[in-house]
Amino acid sequence: MENVVEPAFQELPASATQQLDLDQPVPSQEAFLQEFRRLLGAITLRLRQHPVIVAHTENNFDGSGVRRLLSNKFEFDKLLDSVWREVPRERKDKQASKEYLRIALDRIADSAGLPPLGAVGQVDAVVNEAFKMAKADDLRAVDEAEFKKLLTEVLGAVMLQLDASPVAVSTNTVVHEPMCTSSSSSALLSPTPLSPMVSSPASE
C-alpha cells in the first residue's frame, strides 16, 4: 500500500484523484470504472519499474510429524523427560497441574511437526478437541507418569484428527522490496486447499 498503491494515487491527475475520493459521490458507474482503470494502469507501471518478489510456501499439517515422533519411542521418551523437568510442581508429592500440559505440548510442537499454539487457528481447534477427548483440561494435579500419559494421549488424538482432516496453510512473504527505505517483510497465513509444499519467488 505505502510503496505501490498510494504513490499510484498521487501520480493521477488532480481531477481523477478527486473522483476516486471514497468520501465523494461518484457521478456514474462509467466514470468510476474509467478512473479505476487509470489507477490500475499506474499501479501496473510502478510494479513493472519496481517489482516485488514474494516467497510462497504451503505447509500441510496432516499428523505425519506426530506419527513419526510417537513411533520413535527412545526419542519421544527423552522429549517427555525434558518437558517434565521444566514443569513447575509441588516438592512434597512431585505433582503438577494439568494446566502445564498445554505448555509442554507447545515445547514439543516443532518435534511433532505442529505449529506453535496460537499460530494456526485450525490446528488450535484440533488441539482443543484433543484435550477434551483426553479429559486433560481440568486443573487437577497429576504425577509424572500420568502427566506423560495424558500428553501422549493428546498427541495421539491430534494425530488422528489431522490424519482425517489435514490443515493446509499458505504463507506469502515479501523477500525483496527495493522501494522500501528499510528492510521489512509482510506475511499472511490463510487456509488453502491441500497441495504439495511449494517455495518459490514470484514477481507481482
Side-chain angles (χ1 to χ4, degrees), residues 17-199:
T17 304
Q18 291 171 3
Q19 290 188 34
L20 286 174
D21 189 342
L22 296 179
D23 294 328
Q24 298 295 324
V26 179
S28 66
Q29 181 178 4
E30 183 179 352
F32 174 84
L33 291 176
Q34 180 180 355
E35 303 307 337
F36 187 61
R37 289 190 187 97
R38 295 170 101 180
L39 175 63
L40 291 180
I43 290 174
T44 301
L45 181 61
R46 287 192 68 82
L47 286 175
R48 285 176 178 170
Q49 295 171 344
H50 307 279
V52 175
I53 299 175
V54 178
H56 177 76
T57 60
E58 291 190 2
N59 295 314
N60 297 329
F61 301 104
D62 56 5
S64 58
V66 181
R67 182 176 289 103
R68 282 193 298 271
L69 179 62
L70 294 178
S71 65
N72 189 334
K73 188 176 185 307
F74 177 74
E75 290 299 325
F76 183 53
D77 286 344
K78 281 174 51 178
L79 202 54
L80 289 177
D81 289 339
S82 175
V83 295
W84 173 254
R85 285 195 298 268
E86 297 175 0
V87 172
R89 50 189 178 273
E90 298 293 334
R91 292 182 180 179
K92 186 176 181 180
D93 51 15
K94 295 184 179 180
Q95 291 189 331
S97 171
K98 284 184 179 180
E99 66 179 312
Y100 292 106
L101 280 167
R102 288 184 181 271
I103 298 175
L105 180 62
D106 201 36
R107 295 284 175 83
I108 66 177
D110 187 58
S111 299
L114 298 173
L117 291 177
V120 181
Q122 296 89 334
V123 176
D124 287 346
V126 170
V127 170
N128 290 336
E129 184 62 27
F131 268 81
K132 291 179 183 177
M133 293 170 64
K135 296 182 172 60
D137 260 335
D138 62 61
L139 300 182
R140 180 172 60 86
V142 293
D143 60 18
E144 179 179 357
E146 189 172 0
F147 187 91
K148 292 179 177 179
K149 178 176 177 289
L150 284 170
L151 190 54
T152 303
E153 290 177 357
V154 167
L155 281 169
V158 169
M159 178 189 70
L160 292 176
Q161 290 188 73
L162 289 178
D163 182 61
S165 301
V167 173
V169 176
S170 171
T171 307
N172 298 309
T173 306
V174 174
V175 295
H176 178 61
E177 195 170 4
M179 295 167 62
C180 291
T181 55
S182 60
S183 60
S184 64
S185 66
S186 61
L188 169 67
L189 285 181
S190 59
T192 62
L194 285 176
S195 60
M197 183 176 291
V198 179
S199 180

